[in-house]
């Protein structure tokens, strides 16, 4: 790589303090961001989640320089975007949701053109390296219109990397792709992160964020409503589901007894109980079942997931 980025002394890839943005129009003003504070560590895989219109795109556009903030301080790799506008832009690569590639250019040509736009000297260009990293070497000289959907997505990531930024923003990177392609893209993203690149992911696929991200912020109506590591976020929901399959269908007396622990659903011989593990133990539930002399053929548990956390924090 032609430029080696030295980590900021505070080890923060992105620093956002009291960021505010209001979109003004003749009819009404829309408060897009209200006192946003975020610290994203170097080398992290960071999820920025929120419903449509929550403010995610505004944050990304301010980082990319296409939207101006009203007030607040924002640093990219230790560089203030107000005082080091050009240098800070070089520290970030943005992968948009839209497929903005030229169908009549080859991947190699597009990367060379993109590098030229960033004023990267020819001797310092990393086109071949990036093509190899994104597993596009064998397609380097084919027209982009012949690439598969997954390859086009990888080409977008490659375009964001031609100037060797230490930070990559993935904006809905797997929108509209099938499950197999999504898994391949996930592997590419993990590979980048292992090489030390800080990745910021916005996605509506909560499974994607739960699989990839180690730190997650949830934004709702222009405000940060949660910001923590994934394990701590999942602890916000006091919920567990116990699913049991019985040898025979449970009677009404057992159902009434189980309802005391939480919400109980019965479908033939399968019983599903949703309860709060801070109040009720599985052992207590099983003792009640044993008192009714029912045989359990199968048993499994499900913990709260990121979707549960997301829904609880953004429902109002």
């Amino acid at each position: 790589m032609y430029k080696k980025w030295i980590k900021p002394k505070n080890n923060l890839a992105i620093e956002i303090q009291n960021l505010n943005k209001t979109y003004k129009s003749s009819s009404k003003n829309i408060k897009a961001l209200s006192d946003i504070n975020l610290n994203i560590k170097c080398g992290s895989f960071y999820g920025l989640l929120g419903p449509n219109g929550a403010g995610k795109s505004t944050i990304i556009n301010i980082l990319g320089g296409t939207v101006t903030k009203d007030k607040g301080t924002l640093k990219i790799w230790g560089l203030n975007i107000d005082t080091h506008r050009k240098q800070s832009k070089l520290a970030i690569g943005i992968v948009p949701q839209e497929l903005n590639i030229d169908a009549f250019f080859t991947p190699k040509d597009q990367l060379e053109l993109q590098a030229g736009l960033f004023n990267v000297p020819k001797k310092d260009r990393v086109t071949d390296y990036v093509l190899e990293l994104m597993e596009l070497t064998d397609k380097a000289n084919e027209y982009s219109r012949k690439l598969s959907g997954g390859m086009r997505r990888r080409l977008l990531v490659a375009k964001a990397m031609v100037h060797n930024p230490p930070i990559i923003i993935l904006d809905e990177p797997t929108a509209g792709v099938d499950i197999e392609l999504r898994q391949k893209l996930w592997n590419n993203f993990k590979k980048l992160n292992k090489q030390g690149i800080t990745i910021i992911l916005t996605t509506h696929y909560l499974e994607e964020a739960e699989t990839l991200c180690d730190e997650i912020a949830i934004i709702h109506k222009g405000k940060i409503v949660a910001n923590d590591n994934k394990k701590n976020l999942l602890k916000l929901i006091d919920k567990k589901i116990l699913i049991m399959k019985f040898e025979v269908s449970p009677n009404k007396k057992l159902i009434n007894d189980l309802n005391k622990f939480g919400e109980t659903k019965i479908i033939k011989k399968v019983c599903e109980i949703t309860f709060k593990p801070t109040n009720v133990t599985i052992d207590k539930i099983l003792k009640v079942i044993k008192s009714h002399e029912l045989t359990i053929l199968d048993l499994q548990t499900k913990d709260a997931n990121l979707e549960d956390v997301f829904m609880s924090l953004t429902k109002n």
Side-chain angles (χ1 to χ4, degrees):
M1 288 290 190
Y2 64 90
K3 178 177 175 63
K4 184 174 177 60
W5 291 88
I6 299 172
K7 285 185 180 181
K9 291 182 180 180
N10 59 6
N11 198 39
L12 292 179
I14 299 285
E15 299 173 73
I16 300 176
Q17 295 180 343
N18 302 318
L19 183 62
N20 285 265
K21 177 63 182 179
T22 299
Y23 291 105
K24 298 178 181 180
S25 66
S26 56
S27 57
K28 64 176 180 178
N29 294 339
I30 300 173
K31 186 76 172 179
L33 299 175
S34 180
D35 293 324
I36 297 293
N37 291 282
L38 286 176
N39 286 329
I40 300 175
K41 297 175 184 176
C42 297
S44 65
F45 205 129
Y46 196 93
L48 183 60
L49 311 180
N52 288 330
K56 305 186 301 296
S57 294
T58 299
I59 293 175
I60 292 173
N61 291 335
I62 292 173
L63 285 167
T66 57
V67 169
T68 56
K69 58 185 173 63
D70 293 337
K71 65 176 182 178
T73 303
L74 201 155
K75 293 181 181 179
I76 302 174
W77 211 255
L79 300 165
N80 191 302
I81 66 168
D82 294 322
T83 57
H84 297 80
R85 188 171 181 81
K86 183 178 179 181
Q87 297 95 319
S88 64
K89 280 186 178 182
L90 290 174
I92 198 165
I94 298 178
V95 182
Q97 185 179 153
E98 299 80 16
L99 288 168
N100 60 346
I101 58 177
D102 193 312
F104 296 97
F105 275 56
T106 67
K108 190 164 188 173
D109 288 340
Q110 296 200 52
L111 297 188
E112 284 291 309
L113 177 61
Q114 189 79 357
L117 293 174
F118 276 95
N119 202 30
V120 180
K122 284 195 174 184
K123 65 181 179 65
D124 293 329
R125 292 184 186 177
V126 291
T127 300
D128 291 336
Y129 170 80
V130 174
L131 285 169
E132 183 180 353
L133 193 65
M134 288 293 103
E135 300 176 15
L136 290 169
T137 301
D138 59 339
K139 302 291 182 180
N141 296 305
E142 290 191 17
Y143 286 130
S144 296
R145 66 176 183 270
K146 295 182 179 180
L147 300 180
S148 67
M151 290 175 182
R152 293 181 186 189
R153 289 285 173 186
R154 297 204 298 272
L155 180 54
L156 284 183
V157 179
K159 285 181 67 176
M161 294 179 62
V162 294
H163 57 294
N164 186 32
I167 305 166
I168 297 274
I169 294 180
L170 303 171
D171 187 9
E172 299 285 345
T174 61
V177 305
D178 61 37
I179 295 174
E180 184 180 358
L181 290 180
R182 189 174 300 155
Q183 292 287 344
K184 288 180 179 178
L185 287 169
W186 286 2
N187 290 334
N188 287 117
F189 301 153
K190 289 176 183 177
K191 188 191 300 183
L192 289 177
N193 187 238
K194 284 181 180 178
Q195 293 192 2
I197 293 177
T198 303
I199 295 182
I200 301 169
L201 170 72
T202 74
T203 179
H204 283 104
Y205 298 116
L206 297 181
E207 178 195 359
E208 183 166 77
E210 191 164 356
T211 301
L212 297 174
C213 301
D214 41 47
E215 301 275 339
I216 294 171
I218 298 176
I219 183 170
H220 183 47
K221 295 181 179 179
K223 296 182 179 181
I224 299 294
V225 294
N227 183 20
D228 210 332
N229 65 58
K230 182 168 55 182
K231 186 179 290 186
N232 287 341
L233 281 178
L234 293 175
K235 289 178 182 178
L236 293 175
I237 302 296
D238 188 14
K239 172 184 172 182
K240 199 176 189 75
I241 300 173
L242 176 64
I243 303 169
M244 296 168 288
K245 183 178 181 180
F246 298 120
E247 191 174 40
V248 298
S249 298
N251 55 42
K252 289 185 178 180
K253 178 67 169 62
L254 174 59
I255 295 172
N256 289 335
D257 287 346
L258 294 177
N259 275 328
K260 297 174 184 177
F261 300 126
E263 181 184 352
T264 304
K265 297 178 182 178
I266 304 289
I267 302 176
K268 295 182 179 179
K269 298 177 184 179
V270 178
C271 174
E272 182 180 293
I273 307 170
T274 303
F275 63 98
K276 295 183 177 182
T278 54
N279 297 335
V280 180
T281 63
I282 292 177
D283 183 61
K284 196 171 184 179
I285 296 172
L286 294 178
K287 282 180 179 178
V288 170
I289 293 169
K290 187 177 181 181
S291 69
H292 286 265
E293 299 182 344
L294 275 181
T295 301
I296 300 174
L297 300 178
D298 189 30
L299 182 149
Q300 60 178 303
T301 62
K302 291 182 181 179
D303 292 312
N305 57 27
L306 190 58
E307 183 176 349
D308 296 316
V309 177
F310 182 87
M311 294 302 295
S312 70
L313 294 172
T314 61
K315 61 185 177 181
N316 297 320

